[in-house]
Amino acid sequence: MLNSIIRATSFVHHVLKGMIHEGDVVVDATMGNGNDTIFLAERVGPGGSVFSFDIQQIALDRTLKKIIDNKLDEYNIKLINDGHENIEGYLTDTIDAAMFNLGYLPGGDHSITTKPDSTIGGIKSVLRLLKPKGVASIIIYYGHEGGVNEKQKVLGFLEKLSGKNFSVMKCCYINQGNNPPIIIFIQRN
Ligand SMILES: C[S@@+](CC[C@H](N)C(=O)[O-])C[C@H]1O[C@@H](n2cnc3c(N)ncnc32)[C@H](O)[C@@H]1O
């Protein structure tokens, strides 16, 4: 069930729930406070693998605490202190799903944000690794400095993806102010 107010993060979890299965190999490309890492770990179970990336050590610390609090420390979750543009240095096997949540770390330093070139680099890596029918989600937050530029570059890149190889869907609020988030789903055909 969705919450009564449709939040972008709950909506993405709601959609991905039906597409990620026990034993899957998945990526959290922007670990942050670990909410998506926990969601992914609960979906793939102890037989699956979660690879989570963030450039800030504080994100790894907060996520590790959440993993322990949720009693998931026996699960196969790798917390990697590196950028998602380097995903292929850690993963060579194909993946079933990946999640991106762009912008800054909530409750952290708002001047450290995702950036267009590394974000597109990370998306390209994920698309190369994605299995047929595999899915990637991207929530684009763009209210911060440089956010509009990143949004435009990411959308520009995705619009040019071959429709033969990938289906790309954009979901957005049409009546909310304050730069409401944009949600993207990409599935390999
Ligand atoms: C909006 S937050 C992610 C929220 C997170 N998904 C959660 O569940 O709490 C964005 C995160 O992306 C991280 N980030 C910025 N550039 C990155 C990069 N090149 N690779 C991986 N993470 C990056 C930031 O440090 C920040 O923690």
Side-chain angles (χ1 to χ4, degrees), residues 89-156:
Y90 300 87
L91 259 159
T92 44
D93 271 355
T94 53
I95 61 172
D96 297 281
M99 299 178 74
F100 290 81
N101 218 320
L102 307 184
Y104 55 77
L105 175 67
D109 181 344
H110 289 199
S111 72
I112 304 173
T113 66
T114 51
K115 297 274 190 293
D117 288 350
S118 42
T119 298
I120 291 172
I123 296 170
K124 282 183 179 170
S125 289
V126 158
L127 296 184
R128 278 192 288 269
L129 294 169
L130 213 54
K131 288 180 188 164
K133 305 291 174 213
V135 66
S137 66
I138 308 170
I139 304 182
I140 308 177
Y141 295 98
Y142 53 93
H144 55 280
E145 205 184 323
V148 170
N149 181 36
E150 181 176 38
K151 174 186 82 157
Q152 285 166 344
K153 290 202 165 138
V154 168
L155 290 177

Side-chain angles (χ1 to χ4, degrees), residues 28-37 53-56 59 82-85 101-106 112-115 118-119 141:
D28 181 355
T30 48
M31 183 191 320
N33 289 321
N35 300 307
D36 293 330
T37 293
F53 294 82
D54 206 292
I55 54 170
Q56 298 190 69
D82 200 352
H84 40 231
E85 61 276 23
N101 218 320
L102 307 184
Y104 55 77
L105 175 67
I112 304 173
T113 66
T114 51
K115 297 274 190 293
S118 42
T119 298
Y141 295 98

Side-chain angles (χ1 to χ4, degrees), residues 5 142 173-181:
I5 299 168
Y142 53 93
Y173 294 90
I174 60 171
N175 72 336
Q176 299 288 308
N178 286 329
N179 308 304

Side-chain angles (χ1 to χ4, degrees), residues 18-40:
M19 305 178 85
I20 301 175
H21 306 101
E22 286 215 9
D24 280 356
V25 178
V26 297
V27 168
D28 181 355
T30 48
M31 183 191 320
N33 289 321
N35 300 307
D36 293 330
T37 293
I38 297 296
F39 163 77
L40 289 167

